[in-house]
Amino acid sequence: MSARSEETGTACAYRRTGTVPVYGTDRLGELTYREREVLLLLGTGLGNRRLASELGIAERTVKAHIARIAGKLERETRLQVSVLSALSHDDLCVDPSCPGRHSVAPPGTLSSFAA
């Protein structure tokens, strides 16, 4: 535990900073199908150029989607939206055989992502 954690009386960064990464998941239903698709891909860590290529749209359009998603989910940064995406994968992904569903994939199954 750091000296800062000891000073504030709590080791939890969520409580100390007043931020919770999953805040906003109740607003996922406000997203359009395309915004959900962009959000899901954003959670993979891909850059805008690669996202644009995967989605078959312009990089500028990707940026516009991310800005709208951030606004709807009350997030300030792309990173906050990406973290929310990764934490909400099960709610966003409609593929029942996705190896990334149900939080943690069993050992040895992550290789199927590359397939």
Side-chain angles (χ1 to χ4, degrees), residues 13 83 92:
V83 169
L92 295 167

Side-chain angles (χ1 to χ4, degrees), residues 32-115:
T32 66
Y33 175 81
R34 190 59 156 184
E35 289 167 343
R36 289 173 67 92
E37 187 177 21
V38 171
L39 180 59
L40 186 59
L41 277 171
L42 186 61
T44 66
L46 298 176
N48 289 346
R49 184 173 294 155
R50 180 76 189 276
L51 288 172
S53 175
E54 290 288 327
L55 294 164
I57 58 179
E59 193 171 341
R60 184 172 151 184
T61 306
V62 168
K63 291 177 184 179
H65 278 302
I66 293 171
R68 279 194 305 279
I69 293 165
K72 287 181 179 181
L73 300 180
E74 296 183 4
R75 296 293 177 203
E76 296 175 11
T77 67
R78 174 197 171 94
L79 177 59
Q80 290 172 336
V81 175
S82 297
V83 169
L84 182 64
S85 172
L87 293 172
S88 302
H89 180 267
D90 286 356
D91 294 327
L92 295 167
C93 184
V94 296
D95 181 356
S97 61
C98 175
R101 289 186 61 81
H102 310 298
S103 299
V104 180
T109 59
L110 293 179
S111 61
S112 61
F113 275 116

